[in-house]
Amino acid sequence: MEIERKYLIRQLPFSPESYPFHLIQQAYLNTDPVIRIRREDNSYYLTYKSKGLMVREEYNLPLSREGYEHLRPKADGNIISKKRYLIPITDTALKVELDIFDAPFAPLMIAEVEFPDVETANAFTPLDWFQEDVTNNPEYHNSNLSKRIFQP
């Protein structure tokens, strides 16, 4: 089960470079239901996500590099590349996963916070540097971003 809230970030009041990060590339084989392949640094996954906005089922299966490379050309839409910074939230067990997207999505930045339960998610007070709460806006799901059309 994945329980997360998402926020747009327009400007960071700090440099994220001092935090650990992952380089992520992901592509979508299907968007309803979501079936995604992901390279995260040197690890590879096949992911299924159910419908939903803040709460949904998520299953990650390990995938070999060869399997990822085989499936990637079969993906629809844009391949999403981003740098994900892992930023702890002071005095909690929570962390911000700050995604800074590469072209053609740049300068898009989205902060995600995952929660152990719905009650904690609903009680969460956004950090000062979070802007618009887009948790319930499906436009900001990566699966929908992958379908976005960019004009040359």
Side-chain angles (χ1 to χ4, degrees), residues 46-104:
L46 175 74
T47 301
Y48 164 84
K49 289 188 177 199
S50 69
K51 291 184 183 214
L53 296 171
M54 186 175 78
V55 179
R56 57 192 187 157
E57 295 291 327
E58 178 181 67
Y59 301 97
N60 289 303
L61 303 169
L63 189 63
S64 67
R65 179 178 180 266
E66 295 76 18
Y68 175 83
E69 296 296 335
H70 174 76
L71 290 170
R72 193 173 64 184
K74 295 168 176 36
D76 294 328
N78 301 297
I79 293 176
I80 295 175
S81 294
K82 57 190 176 180
K83 197 172 204 180
R84 173 170 285 173
Y85 292 93
L86 308 174
I87 304 168
I89 298 177
T90 307
D91 298 326
T92 75
L94 303 174
K95 70 176 177 274
V96 176
E97 294 179 339
L98 174 64
D99 288 345
I100 299 180
F101 289 76
D102 295 332

Side-chain angles (χ1 to χ4, degrees), residues 90-150:
T90 307
D91 298 326
T92 75
L94 303 174
K95 70 176 177 274
V96 176
E97 294 179 339
L98 174 64
D99 288 345
I100 299 180
F101 289 76
D102 295 332
F105 300 97
L108 180 62
M109 293 187 285
I110 296 177
E112 298 179 352
V113 181
E114 289 197 23
F115 300 93
D117 52 58
V118 173
E119 295 75 24
T120 305
N122 287 331
F124 180 70
T125 301
L127 303 179
D128 305 7
W129 50 277
F130 289 9
Q131 273 87 48
E132 183 183 350
D133 183 339
V134 294
T135 302
N136 294 311
N137 185 341
E139 178 182 339
Y140 291 98
H141 278 207
N142 284 263
S143 58
N144 289 326
L145 290 173
S146 76
K147 297 186 284 188
R148 199 179 272 178
I149 307 253
F150 294 91

